[in-house]
Amino acid sequence: MDCPTCGKSLNTEQGMRQHHTKVHGEPLPNRTCTGCGVEFYDPKSRLEFCDDCNPNAGEHNGNWKGGKETGTCDRCGATFDYYPSDKPGMYCSECVESARGLVPGNPSEKGERVIVGCEACDAELEVRPARLEKQTRGVFCTLECYGDWLSENVVGPDHHQWEGGSIDYGQQWWQVRRQALERDDYECQHCGTSAEELGRNPDVHHRQPVRSFDQPEDAHTMDNVITLCRSCHRHAEAGAITLPTHDEK
């Protein structure tokens, strides 16, 4: 095959292409554009269109550098350039950068908050007014406080889980849990770590698992529970430690 530039004869097309690229510094076309029929070079020999016909390049692309339009910021009224493919609701870059989150009317804005006291311990809490509307019983700083409040205030037909005049299962557990903590002085009965050292109340562990009882509420007795820190609780669940009996304490 002859080189189209210098006329040199080569044995194969591949050899002629390599010669042209090396000697003349330009690769020969290896693709034919589906749009206009022009021959062009593609290093990977995969393209179907030349740059002028490519539906995703140049002016065919909504985001090409010359394809911007001018709009007005929906927030401040300033004019700015944008791409037509941008989503509806246009804001200039200054408004986007200065906004807290989304603009305008950001649903993630925290909004105003009010100070209220925990119903169980009177600790001050900052809450949104909407939360007060939902929490008809008030708000609590921790789950433990909610349990303490339940054990003292919600016994009887007004409770949502009242069943035939007996204390409901959940409330019975909260009562036994608090009694166990008080009996054990809020200290782990295996390693002696206190609630003050833990920074929270210890766990209350069932010696005999709840799942082993036909009636789950039968597991909630003072003889069947013991106060443990979180670490010792995990070891007890795994059977890795021996727990003291009430007589040994």
Side-chain angles (χ1 to χ4, degrees), residues 29 33 36 78 91 99 119 121 123 165 178 187 204 217 221 223 225 249:
C33 176
C36 64
Y91 306 95
E119 291 293 327
C121 70
R178 191 174 76 159
E187 292 183 352
V204 175
E217 58 268 25
T221 64
D223 289 338
V225 294
K249 295 195 309 170

Side-chain angles (χ1 to χ4, degrees), residues 180 183-195 197-198 202-205 207 225-237 239-246 248-249:
R183 179 197 65 194
D184 297 337
D185 297 324
Y186 291 83
E187 292 183 352
C188 175
Q189 299 303 292
H190 184 261
C191 70
T193 305
S194 66
E197 293 172 309
L198 292 171
D203 295 348
V204 175
H205 168 68
R207 294 174 179 271
V225 294
I226 185 171
T227 301
L228 299 172
C229 68
R230 184 61 55 85
S231 177
C232 289
H233 194 177
R234 288 197 294 266
H235 290 314
E237 293 284 357
I241 60 176
T242 300
L243 300 176
T245 65
H246 297 300
E248 294 173 335
K249 295 195 309 170

Side-chain angles (χ1 to χ4, degrees), residues 57-214:
E59 61 183 4
H60 302 295
N61 187 333
N63 285 341
W64 77 298
K65 63 181 180 181
K68 285 186 175 181
E69 297 182 6
T70 299
T72 303
C73 177
D74 292 345
R75 190 180 188 199
C76 70
T79 58
F80 66 100
D81 293 334
Y82 72 98
Y83 289 115
S85 60
D86 284 347
K87 295 180 180 180
M90 299 180 298
Y91 306 95
C92 65
S93 58
E94 287 79 8
C95 282
V96 172
E97 291 177 2
S98 63
R100 292 170 54 195
L102 306 176
V103 288
N106 182 5
S108 67
E109 294 272 1
K110 291 184 177 181
E112 296 182 359
R113 294 180 178 238
V114 295
I115 304 295
V116 297
C118 171
E119 291 293 327
C121 70
D122 293 327
E124 290 189 348
L125 305 171
E126 288 190 9
V127 299
R128 298 177 189 175
R131 181 180 174 188
L132 294 179
E133 296 175 2
K134 296 179 181 179
Q135 302 293 341
T136 57
R137 294 180 181 174
V139 294
F140 303 88
C141 58
T142 64
L143 189 60
E144 286 79 6
C145 275
Y146 180 53
D148 291 344
W149 182 85
L150 277 178
S151 65
E152 293 180 355
N153 297 280
V154 191
V155 179
D158 291 335
H159 188 260
H160 71 286
Q161 289 181 324
W162 178 262
E163 296 179 358
S166 62
I167 298 175
D168 71 281
Y169 166 84
Q171 189 172 339
Q172 178 187 356
W173 163 239
W174 282 111
Q175 288 178 329
V176 170
R177 181 183 182 279
R178 191 174 76 159
Q179 291 169 5
L181 289 170
E182 292 175 349
R183 179 197 65 194
D184 297 337
D185 297 324
Y186 291 83
E187 292 183 352
C188 175
Q189 299 303 292
H190 184 261
C191 70
T193 305
S194 66
E196 183 177 357
E197 293 172 309
L198 292 171
R200 60 183 297 278
N201 284 337
D203 295 348
V204 175
H205 168 68
H206 289 87
R207 294 174 179 271
Q208 185 176 344
V210 175
R211 61 181 178 274
S212 65
F213 290 82
D214 292 333

